[in-house]
Amino acid sequence: VSMNVPKLLIGSAVVSVVSVVSVIGIIVFALTWLLAMHTETVEAGEEGVITDKPYFCCHEGVRDEPLRDGRILMFRTSTMTTVRMTPQAVDVNFDDLSSQDNILLDFASSIQYQFTDSVRLIRDFGAQNWFKANIERQYMSIVRDIVKKYTMTQMMSDPETAARVDSEITEQLQKLVADSKLPVRILSVSLGRA
């Protein structure tokens, strides 16, 4: 079965129109991909939150669904913020906290946490400095108030007191996070030894 395909005379060669259109299509696709697109990758244990910033039309802002794994091809005007969804820790140092008997104590505390909703985190709270901007000051106040209830000897020598302090701080921090509607689960708080 032979088809009558229109032919073009290019120089001294005869080429079919379909071949020319195919080559032009490949060139246009390659140029678009190279000049207007880029790829982003999400690794295991992470989610990618895509923010679209189109020049002319379409939806602008944070997409409702995160990229959970793999690679995506996006326009250069879009960005992706990677959010680690596995448990993490943030360290907060305390210098000169006053105990019940007015002795100054230093602590190196650690908060274990895990993000629960990457899209809400980026859209409503921002990825950069979420802890500092949303709960650091209140956390420091919680720790200061709880440490003030105990003596230096209790804080330094009594393991039951240390466990009770860690538990109290964890409960109050969990309540603070819930009241703030932060998409974070507080797993535990360890005040460390004075």
Side-chain angles (χ1 to χ4, degrees):
V1 177
S2 71
M3 296 179 72
N4 233 355
V5 177
K7 307 277 187 205
L8 294 175
L9 181 63
I10 300 178
S12 61
V14 177
V15 181
S16 75
V17 173
V18 173
S19 298
V20 171
V21 170
S22 297
V23 169
I24 291 173
I26 290 170
I27 291 170
V28 168
F29 173 77
L31 287 175
T32 301
W33 184 57
L34 289 172
L35 300 175
M37 309 285 284
H38 73 285
T39 60
E40 294 284 349
T41 305
V42 176
E43 302 295 331
E46 298 177 341
E47 288 184 358
V49 179
I50 299 168
T51 305
D52 293 316
K53 302 171 200 160
Y55 283 129
F56 303 110
C57 67
C58 306
H59 171 70
E60 181 174 315
V62 177
R63 291 188 189 176
D64 293 332
E65 288 296 319
L67 180 64
R68 291 198 164 78
D69 59 0
R71 182 180 304 266
I72 188 168
L73 181 65
M74 303 185 310
F75 285 104
R76 290 221 181 263
T77 57
S78 296
T79 59
M80 185 173 79
T81 305
T82 303
V83 178
R84 226 175 94 197
M85 299 303 289
T86 55
Q88 303 174 61
V90 63
D91 297 325
V92 180
N93 294 318
F94 292 93
D95 295 323
D96 299 334
L97 284 181
S98 182
S99 64
Q100 186 182 49
D101 48 0
N102 291 324
I103 295 176
L104 301 178
L105 304 172
D106 296 340
F107 295 96
S109 71
S110 179
I111 302 168
Q112 300 272 318
Y113 67 93
Q114 185 173 15
F115 294 121
T116 57
D117 187 340
S118 59
V119 173
R120 267 192 46 231
L121 176 71
I122 301 302
R123 185 184 58 230
D124 299 342
F125 299 98
Q128 302 301 322
N129 300 321
W130 69 271
F131 177 77
K132 189 175 192 71
N134 295 289
I135 60 174
E136 183 179 44
R137 289 285 175 208
Q138 296 94 323
Y139 170 69
M140 293 174 97
S141 178
I142 289 168
V143 171
R144 183 189 65 238
D145 292 345
I146 290 175
V147 167
K148 188 83 174 148
K149 293 194 264 181
Y150 299 96
T151 65
M152 180 202 65
T153 306
Q154 289 174 306
M155 293 299 298
M156 292 184 70
S157 305
D158 185 9
E160 289 178 13
T161 300
R164 193 172 333 124
V165 167
D166 288 350
S167 178
E168 278 185 68
I169 293 170
T170 301
E171 287 173 19
Q172 287 193 29
L173 188 57
Q174 287 170 336
K175 182 180 180 328
L176 173 66
V177 166
D179 291 347
S180 302
K181 296 183 177 25
L182 273 163
V184 177
R185 180 174 43 244
I186 301 298
L187 304 173
S188 67
V189 176
S190 174
L191 194 55
R193 290 287 179 175

